[in-house]
Amino acid sequence: MVSDMLTSSLSIAGPEFILTIGAMVLLMVGVFMGGKSAQLVTALSVALLIIAALWLVFVAPEGVAFGGSIVSDSFASFMKILVLIGSAAAIVMSAGYAESERFNRFEFPVLIVLSTLGMLVMVSAGDLISLYMGLELQSLAIYVLAAINRESVRSTEAGLKYFVLGALSSGMLLYGASMIYGFTGQIELTAIAETLTAGERSLGLLVGLVFLLAGLAFKISAVPFHMWTPDVYEGAPTPITALLAGAPKIAAMALLVRFAMEGFLPVVVDWQQVIIFISIASMGFGAFAAIGQKNIKRLMAYSSIGHMGYALVGLAAANMEGVRGVALYMAIYLATTLGTFAVILSMRRDDGPADQIEDLAGLSKTNPVMATFLTIMMLSLAGLPPLAGFFAKYFVFMAAVEAGLYALAVIGVLASVVGLYYYLRIVKLMWFDEEAKPFLPAPIELKLVLWVAGLFVFPIYLFVGGPVFAAAGEAAQSFF
């Protein structure tokens, strides 16, 4: 019996074990081969992430592992695959950049693998302990990654800021978790839900809930816990910014959805108010703060704040349509973000990388293919039909309408209209302004990411996106 339970747990947590063992092996490869191992370890890291994704698709069963600490269901599998795609794409896009900026050490992809391991634990967290362990493993690796370019003062500053503010958010989250445990006597999310259904509610429990939500809101850079985002996005090496903008936010959003829908659905009225507030604040702040930005990485930081607000609209609805909308939103957000950062990484001239919005002036004349793809990404982020970004917003707003949150949906639409300005400003620069100095030819790996992302968000999404929509719906059913 014990052997069967252990075998089942190992199968359920297979992707996590694959990354754990793989990271240790890659570390040994790097140590014994020395500085020449960077390219090999990078390639093996991508292969490791692909193997973990294939395990999720073809092998991993549904169920709970290790006494309920790890949960495997359709929602976890869907979000984990998105996380693995985001991390693998970040490693692929970093290959040429890391070499040109002289930080192409073997530790770089290993740290991304370890961070991804933490993200997978976050997505499958079934209790408060695994929730915190996954969060910290993901965060500690990214603190180092943000500051990995030791020759750059901005990179070191970004890592330090992220570490200090991340430690503060971890303290808040731990305090909230201890309050929840103290007032319910449970650490498993399902057991907490049963306790709350029985009527065990108190002011101390709600205080703990608010503190834990605050800690999770920091990880998705939702207002008012967004202060680290613009500086870290700008200062960190661009491949790490691409990683930060994608996989960790998907993992944190998945954790937030599981925490709310699996553990605290009986007190939905209490946490729904908090989610509505940070959703409105994030949508509004992200829309207006991005208008005056000149650095494209800072603009993407404020854009991501706004998009996390839109995704939270689906969670605030607290229904199956809302959870499906969140899952679909994060899939489409990941594609558009990776495509945009593939262009940003391609913005390189003889004197080094360019990161100002004005550097894109006249791009349609010097590189019409890149300008076309970036236009598609910008219009999708803006939510214009018939691109995938329109459907992302449509489903979360409709979920809010079905839940009776009409004001929240209207505010979301208005924020989208404001955000349209700074996305169209980039389009206008590329197609109507005098051309700036052309960029160097983009590496093949960036072109590959850009083409895949572009085809996903283009109207062809209506035909090839069916399986993604169906998978998002199946993922939402995990909680209902």
Side-chain angles (χ1 to χ4, degrees), residues 274-347:
V274 179
I275 298 297
I276 289 173
F277 169 76
I278 63 176
S279 174
I280 292 173
S282 300
M283 290 187 295
F285 182 81
F288 286 98
I291 290 175
Q293 298 304 314
K294 297 181 179 178
N295 184 291
I296 192 164
K297 290 167 70 176
R298 290 185 73 89
L299 183 142
M300 290 301 295
Y302 288 110
S303 171
S304 74
I305 292 171
H307 282 285
M308 292 304 103
Y310 297 126
L312 287 172
V313 172
L315 178 56
N319 53 27
M320 194 175 80
E321 291 76 15
V323 176
R324 181 189 63 186
V326 173
L328 191 64
Y329 198 104
M330 298 313 294
I332 294 170
Y333 169 78
L334 175 66
T336 50
T337 299
L338 290 176
T340 303
F341 274 98
V343 174
I344 294 173
L345 281 162
S346 302
M347 294 169 58

XYZ file of all heavy atoms in Angstrom, residues 274-347:
539
model
N -11.463 42.440 -2.263
C -10.036 42.747 -2.405
C -9.608 42.590 -3.861
O -8.897 43.446 -4.415
C -9.200 41.823 -1.495
C -7.713 42.122 -1.658
C -9.626 41.960 -0.044
N -10.044 41.510 -4.510
C -9.676 41.266 -5.912
C -10.226 42.365 -6.814
O -9.531 42.844 -7.731
C -10.175 39.879 -6.365
C -9.520 38.771 -5.538
C -9.897 39.676 -7.848
C -8.027 38.695 -5.681
N -11.461 42.791 -6.580
C -12.055 43.857 -7.394
C -11.251 45.143 -7.253
O -10.961 45.834 -8.240
C -13.530 44.087 -6.999
C -14.391 42.901 -7.465
C -14.064 45.379 -7.597
C -15.818 42.957 -6.975
N -10.841 45.459 -6.021
C -10.071 46.694 -5.796
C -8.739 46.665 -6.537
O -8.397 47.614 -7.257
C -9.835 46.913 -4.303
C -8.844 47.998 -4.017
C -9.210 49.337 -4.140
C -7.537 47.697 -3.656
C -8.290 50.353 -3.898
C -6.611 48.702 -3.409
C -6.987 50.030 -3.532
N -7.959 45.570 -6.362
C -6.643 45.550 -7.000
C -6.772 45.395 -8.516
O -5.900 45.847 -9.262
C -5.725 44.462 -6.401
C -6.289 43.054 -6.621
C -5.481 44.709 -4.929
C -5.369 41.953 -6.118
N -7.873 44.811 -8.978
C -8.100 44.725 -10.419
C -8.328 46.108 -11.012
O -7.696 46.487 -12.010
C -9.306 43.821 -10.702
O -9.629 43.830 -12.083
N -9.227 46.875 -10.407
C -9.507 48.234 -10.902
C -8.259 49.106 -10.811
O -7.910 49.837 -11.755
C -10.669 48.859 -10.107
C -11.976 48.112 -10.415
C -10.820 50.342 -10.436
C -13.144 48.553 -9.554
N -7.556 49.027 -9.676
C -6.353 49.849 -9.490
C -5.280 49.488 -10.518
O -4.615 50.370 -11.075
C -5.813 49.666 -8.068
N -5.114 48.198 -10.789
C -4.089 47.763 -11.748
C -4.438 48.176 -13.172
O -3.579 48.656 -13.920
C -3.907 46.238 -11.676
O -3.500 45.841 -10.389
N -5.708 47.993 -13.552
C -6.114 48.387 -14.906
C -5.941 49.885 -15.116
O -5.398 50.326 -16.138
C -7.574 47.983 -15.157
C -7.800 46.495 -15.288
S -9.486 46.056 -15.779
C -10.440 46.619 -14.359
N -6.377 50.677 -14.147
C -6.291 52.126 -14.279
C -4.871 52.634 -14.260
O -4.448 53.417 -15.125
N -4.083 52.166 -13.290
C -2.703 52.636 -13.169
C -1.873 52.195 -14.370
O -1.090 52.980 -14.919
C -2.082 52.105 -11.872
C -0.679 52.575 -11.641
C -0.435 53.831 -11.108
C 0.407 51.779 -11.963
C 0.860 54.282 -10.895
C 1.705 52.205 -11.759
C 1.925 53.467 -11.216
N -2.041 50.923 -14.785
C -1.283 50.439 -15.934
C -1.584 51.218 -17.198
O -0.691 51.483 -18.006
N -2.856 51.626 -17.354
C -3.253 52.356 -18.562
C -2.658 53.761 -18.594
O -2.127 54.197 -19.620
C -4.778 52.423 -18.648
N -2.722 54.466 -17.475
C -2.289 55.867 -17.469
C -0.783 56.025 -17.268
O -0.172 56.928 -17.848
C -3.038 56.644 -16.382
C -4.470 56.935 -16.736
C -5.503 56.143 -16.257
C -4.792 57.995 -17.576
C -6.826 56.394 -16.596
C -6.114 58.262 -17.923
C -7.125 57.451 -17.434
N -0.157 55.164 -16.458
C 1.271 55.329 -16.166
C 2.137 55.010 -17.375
O 3.263 55.510 -17.477
C 1.667 54.441 -14.987
N 1.656 54.174 -18.286
C 2.466 53.794 -19.450
C 2.525 54.891 -20.510
O 3.392 54.844 -21.391
C 1.916 52.509 -20.069
N 1.616 55.864 -20.434
C 1.506 56.856 -21.508
C 2.792 57.654 -21.691
O 3.237 57.906 -22.814
C 0.310 57.804 -21.234
C -0.999 57.029 -21.408
C 0.353 59.016 -22.159
C -2.233 57.822 -21.056
N 3.440 58.054 -20.607
C 4.613 58.915 -20.716
C 5.937 58.191 -20.801
O 6.995 58.830 -20.739
N 5.931 56.869 -20.939
C 7.181 56.107 -20.923
C 7.943 56.255 -22.232
O 7.356 56.284 -23.303
C 6.893 54.626 -20.647
C 6.245 54.366 -19.314
C 7.048 54.911 -18.151
O 8.263 54.733 -18.089
N 6.368 55.587 -17.237
N 9.278 56.330 -22.118
C 10.146 56.403 -23.296
C 10.954 55.126 -23.494
O 11.413 54.845 -24.592
C 11.092 57.605 -23.170
C 10.359 58.943 -23.137
C 11.328 60.107 -23.030
C 10.571 61.440 -23.023
N 11.490 62.602 -22.881
N 11.150 54.383 -22.391
C 11.868 53.117 -22.468
C 10.867 51.993 -22.708
O 9.880 51.873 -21.970
C 12.639 52.886 -21.158
C 13.489 51.627 -21.192
O 12.972 50.521 -21.198
N 14.805 51.799 -21.202
N 11.087 51.173 -23.721
C 10.085 50.184 -24.091
C 9.946 49.092 -23.035
O 8.867 48.526 -22.843
C 10.401 49.579 -25.480
C 9.196 48.778 -25.986
C 11.655 48.717 -25.442
C 9.233 48.457 -27.445
N 11.030 48.795 -22.294
C 10.918 47.788 -21.237
C 10.075 48.319 -20.071
O 9.296 47.566 -19.470
C 12.308 47.371 -20.761
C 13.068 46.553 -21.800
C 14.536 46.421 -21.469
C 14.787 45.537 -20.271
N 16.230 45.348 -20.012
N 10.201 49.607 -19.759
C 9.354 50.189 -18.721
C 7.902 50.243 -19.187
O 6.969 50.020 -18.410
C 9.835 51.595 -18.348
C 11.145 51.624 -17.592
C 11.498 53.037 -17.147
N 10.658 53.466 -16.046
C 10.944 53.265 -14.750
N 12.036 52.601 -14.405
N 10.133 53.691 -13.811
N 7.701 50.530 -20.464
C 6.338 50.536 -20.988
C 5.712 49.147 -20.861
O 4.548 49.016 -20.476
C 6.349 50.979 -22.450
C 4.964 51.107 -23.112
C 4.930 52.318 -24.042
C 4.587 49.851 -23.899
N 6.486 48.114 -21.153
C 5.977 46.754 -21.016
C 5.713 46.400 -19.558
O 4.828 45.583 -19.258
C 6.963 45.756 -21.633
C 7.039 45.809 -23.149
S 5.444 45.492 -23.942
C 5.158 43.796 -23.450
N 6.455 47.012 -18.655
C 6.208 46.781 -17.225
C 4.836 47.307 -16.831
O 4.042 46.606 -16.187
C 7.301 47.451 -16.393
N 4.552 48.552 -17.224
C 3.239 49.119 -16.898
C 2.124 48.402 -17.659
O 1.014 48.237 -17.140
C 3.225 50.614 -17.194
C 4.045 51.412 -16.218
C 5.232 52.022 -16.592
C 3.619 51.559 -14.895
C 5.996 52.750 -15.679
C 4.380 52.282 -13.981
C 5.566 52.875 -14.383
O 6.316 53.582 -13.469
N 2.434 47.974 -18.872
C 1.454 47.200 -19.628
C 1.111 45.905 -18.900
O -0.053 45.507 -18.814
C 2.007 46.887 -21.028
O 1.183 45.968 -21.712
N 2.127 45.233 -18.346
C 1.882 43.974 -17.640
C 1.059 44.195 -16.379
O 0.235 43.346 -16.011
C 3.212 43.301 -17.293
O 3.866 43.954 -16.225
N 1.273 45.323 -15.710
C 0.457 45.650 -14.528
C -1.008 45.732 -14.934
O -1.898 45.191 -14.271
C 0.934 46.968 -13.898
C 2.330 46.798 -13.293
C -0.046 47.448 -12.830
C 2.976 48.098 -12.847
N -1.264 46.432 -16.038
C -2.629 46.553 -16.521
C -3.222 45.201 -16.897
O -4.382 44.903 -16.585
N -2.432 44.356 -17.553
C -2.950 43.064 -17.997
C -3.241 42.138 -16.827
O -4.177 41.333 -16.888
C -1.987 42.422 -18.989
C -2.080 42.996 -20.367
N -3.128 42.711 -21.213
C -1.293 43.882 -21.030
C -2.964 43.377 -22.348
N -1.864 44.094 -22.259
N -2.464 42.225 -15.764
C -2.797 41.433 -14.575
C -4.132 41.904 -13.988
O -4.915 41.108 -13.468
C -1.684 41.548 -13.534
C -0.379 40.879 -13.946
S -0.547 39.121 -14.374
C -0.484 39.195 -16.159
N -4.405 43.199 -14.098
C -5.704 43.713 -13.660
C -6.842 43.139 -14.480
O -7.884 42.747 -13.934
N -6.652 43.051 -15.798
C -7.691 42.463 -16.659
C -7.916 40.991 -16.307
O -9.059 40.519 -16.256
C -7.297 42.579 -18.135
C -7.164 43.994 -18.639
C -6.007 44.433 -19.272
C -8.206 44.902 -18.480
C -5.879 45.739 -19.738
C -8.089 46.201 -18.946
C -6.921 46.616 -19.564
O -6.803 47.903 -20.010
N -6.833 40.249 -16.083
C -6.970 38.831 -15.739
C -7.714 38.663 -14.416
O -8.504 37.725 -14.252
C -5.591 38.177 -15.660
N -7.476 39.578 -13.471
C -8.140 39.486 -12.166
C -9.644 39.731 -12.267
O -10.391 39.347 -11.365
C -7.517 40.487 -11.184
C -6.116 40.122 -10.675
C -5.531 41.280 -9.861
C -6.155 38.855 -9.833
N -10.083 40.366 -13.349
C -11.531 40.529 -13.560
C -12.198 39.157 -13.609
O -13.272 38.941 -13.037
C -11.812 41.314 -14.864
C -13.299 41.305 -15.194
C -11.307 42.749 -14.737
N -11.551 38.203 -14.285
C -12.096 36.853 -14.361
C -12.151 36.183 -13.001
O -13.131 35.503 -12.663
N -11.108 36.376 -12.187
C -11.106 35.786 -10.844
C -12.171 36.422 -9.968
O -12.829 35.739 -9.177
C -9.720 35.944 -10.209
C -9.567 35.410 -8.780
C -9.947 33.939 -8.694
C -8.149 35.634 -8.279
N -12.353 37.724 -10.106
C -13.361 38.426 -9.304
C -14.763 37.891 -9.588
O -15.634 37.906 -8.708
C -13.303 39.931 -9.572
N -14.987 37.409 -10.812
C -16.302 36.859 -11.152
C -16.609 35.600 -10.346
O -17.782 35.291 -10.091
C -16.374 36.549 -12.649
N -15.564 34.856 -9.955
C -15.703 33.680 -9.089
C -16.673 32.647 -9.661
O -17.432 32.020 -8.926
C -16.134 34.098 -7.680
N -16.673 32.480 -10.974
C -17.489 31.442 -11.604
C -16.629 30.683 -12.610
O -15.462 31.029 -12.840
C -18.729 32.036 -12.271
C -18.384 33.167 -13.239
O -17.288 33.221 -13.802
N -19.319 34.093 -13.440
N -17.181 29.628 -13.199
C -16.404 28.795 -14.102
C -15.973 29.574 -15.344
O -14.848 29.413 -15.837
C -17.195 27.563 -14.523
C -16.321 26.508 -15.180
S -17.166 24.977 -15.567
C -18.008 25.439 -17.070
N -16.847 30.441 -15.841
C -16.490 31.259 -17.001
C -15.313 32.177 -16.673
O -14.454 32.428 -17.520
C -17.695 32.091 -17.454
C -18.828 31.289 -18.064
C -19.654 30.545 -17.029
O -19.520 30.875 -15.831
O -20.415 29.631 -17.405
N -15.284 32.666 -15.443
C -14.190 33.543 -15.027
C -12.861 32.818 -14.971
O -11.843 33.323 -15.450
N -12.854 31.607 -14.384
C -11.615 30.838 -14.301
C -11.146 30.440 -15.704
O -9.949 30.499 -16.012
C -11.809 29.587 -13.419
C -10.543 28.740 -13.407
C -12.182 29.995 -12.003
N -12.085 30.058 -16.572
C -11.725 29.757 -17.959
C -11.133 30.992 -18.626
O -10.142 30.909 -19.364
C -12.956 29.292 -18.734
C -12.658 28.941 -20.198
C -13.935 28.697 -20.982
N -14.767 29.893 -21.050
C -15.988 29.919 -21.571
N -16.537 28.813 -22.027
N -16.678 31.054 -21.608
N -11.731 32.155 -18.370
C -11.220 33.397 -18.940
C -9.811 33.706 -18.465
O -8.963 34.138 -19.251
N -9.530 33.467 -17.170
C -8.188 33.705 -16.637
C -7.175 32.792 -17.316
O -6.098 33.234 -17.727
C -8.160 33.501 -15.108
C -6.724 33.572 -14.589
C -9.014 34.539 -14.398
N -7.510 31.493 -17.429
C -6.591 30.538 -18.059
C -6.313 30.917 -19.509
O -5.160 30.919 -19.962
C -7.174 29.126 -17.977
N -7.364 31.268 -20.247
C -7.192 31.659 -21.647
C -6.426 32.972 -21.751
O -5.565 33.131 -22.634
C -8.566 31.794 -22.310
C -8.595 31.935 -23.833
C -8.043 30.679 -24.492
C -10.005 32.210 -24.325
N -6.716 33.903 -20.845
C -6.035 35.210 -20.861
C -4.531 35.021 -20.681
O -3.725 35.634 -21.390
C -6.581 36.111 -19.746
C -6.274 37.573 -19.959
C -7.256 38.446 -20.405
C -4.997 38.086 -19.744
C -6.975 39.788 -20.628
C -4.707 39.413 -19.968
C -5.702 40.259 -20.407
O -5.418 41.585 -20.644
N -4.131 34.154 -19.728
C -2.711 33.974 -19.469
C -2.012 33.298 -20.639
O -0.848 33.600 -20.931
C -2.513 33.166 -18.188
C -3.068 33.821 -16.926
S -2.636 35.577 -16.720
C -0.868 35.486 -16.484
N -2.716 32.404 -21.352
C -2.119 31.767 -22.528
C -1.858 32.796 -23.624
O -0.776 32.832 -24.227
C -3.034 30.656 -23.040
N -2.846 33.635 -23.883
C -2.701 34.647 -24.933
C -1.702 35.727 -24.511
O -0.884 36.193 -25.320
C -4.080 35.253 -25.260
C -4.978 34.176 -25.877
C -3.953 36.444 -26.211
C -6.429 34.585 -26.029
N -1.730 36.101 -23.231
C -0.776 37.088 -22.711
C 0.655 36.580 -22.866
O 1.560 37.334 -23.228
C -1.088 37.384 -21.245
C -0.021 38.169 -20.530
C 0.095 39.544 -20.708
C 0.885 37.535 -19.685
C 1.094 40.263 -20.061
C 1.874 38.254 -19.036
C 1.983 39.611 -19.225
O 2.968 40.311 -18.586
N 0.871 35.284 -22.604
C 2.210 34.714 -22.738
C 2.699 34.815 -24.181
O 3.840 35.217 -24.436
C 2.203 33.250 -22.289
C 3.509 32.485 -22.491
C 4.605 33.051 -21.597
C 3.316 30.994 -22.207
N 1.842 34.484 -25.133
C 2.237 34.524 -26.547
C 2.596 35.941 -26.980
O 3.639 36.160 -27.614
C 1.111 33.965 -27.419
N 1.753 36.908 -26.643
C 2.020 38.292 -27.058
C 3.256 38.858 -26.363
O 4.040 39.588 -26.980
C 0.804 39.186 -26.758
O 0.380 38.987 -25.406
C -0.345 38.874 -27.676
N 3.452 38.497 -25.111
C 4.621 38.992 -24.380
C 5.907 38.419 -24.951
O 6.886 39.156 -25.161
C 4.503 38.635 -22.880
O 3.336 39.255 -22.339
C 5.717 39.118 -22.115
N 5.928 37.123 -25.218
C 7.137 36.513 -25.789
C 7.433 37.097 -27.163
O 8.595 37.369 -27.498
C 6.963 34.999 -25.882
C 6.946 34.227 -24.558
C 6.678 32.751 -24.806
C 8.261 34.412 -23.798
N 6.392 37.304 -27.978
C 6.602 37.897 -29.293
C 7.161 39.303 -29.201
O 8.078 39.683 -29.942
N 6.624 40.100 -28.269
C 7.102 41.474 -28.106
C 8.548 41.502 -27.647
O 9.369 42.287 -28.154
C 6.218 42.223 -27.094
O 4.858 42.192 -27.535
C 6.669 43.674 -26.950
N 8.899 40.631 -26.703
C 10.278 40.639 -26.208
C 11.248 40.044 -27.221
O 12.446 40.362 -27.184
C 10.366 39.917 -24.861
C 10.062 40.821 -23.693
C 8.809 40.833 -23.126
C 11.027 41.687 -23.211
C 8.511 41.678 -22.064
C 10.747 42.538 -22.153
C 9.487 42.538 -21.582
N 10.765 39.208 -28.127
C 11.624 38.751 -29.220
C 12.038 39.938 -30.090
O 13.189 40.030 -30.538
C 10.904 37.701 -30.057
N 11.107 40.877 -30.290
C 11.435 42.098 -31.045
C 12.380 42.983 -30.238
O 13.363 43.515 -30.773
C 10.156 42.873 -31.402
C 10.507 44.216 -32.044
C 9.291 42.055 -32.350
N 12.103 43.145 -28.932
C 12.955 44.000 -28.099
C 14.394 43.468 -28.077
O 15.360 44.235 -28.154
C 12.382 44.094 -26.670
C 11.029 44.820 -26.699
C 13.347 44.835 -25.748
C 10.297 44.823 -25.373
N 14.541 42.143 -27.989
C 15.880 41.550 -28.011
C 16.543 41.714 -29.375
O 17.775 41.692 -29.476
C 15.789 40.069 -27.652
C 15.649 39.758 -26.164
C 15.126 38.348 -25.951
C 16.996 39.930 -25.472
N 15.740 41.874 -30.430
C 16.285 42.082 -31.777
C 16.704 43.529 -32.011
O 17.324 43.828 -33.044
C 15.246 41.679 -32.833
O 14.857 40.330 -32.677
N 16.354 44.416 -31.087
C 16.712 45.838 -31.226
C 18.179 46.037 -30.829
O 18.498 46.451 -29.715
C 15.781 46.698 -30.366
C 14.345 46.694 -30.820
S 13.196 47.449 -29.631
C 13.875 49.110 -29.449
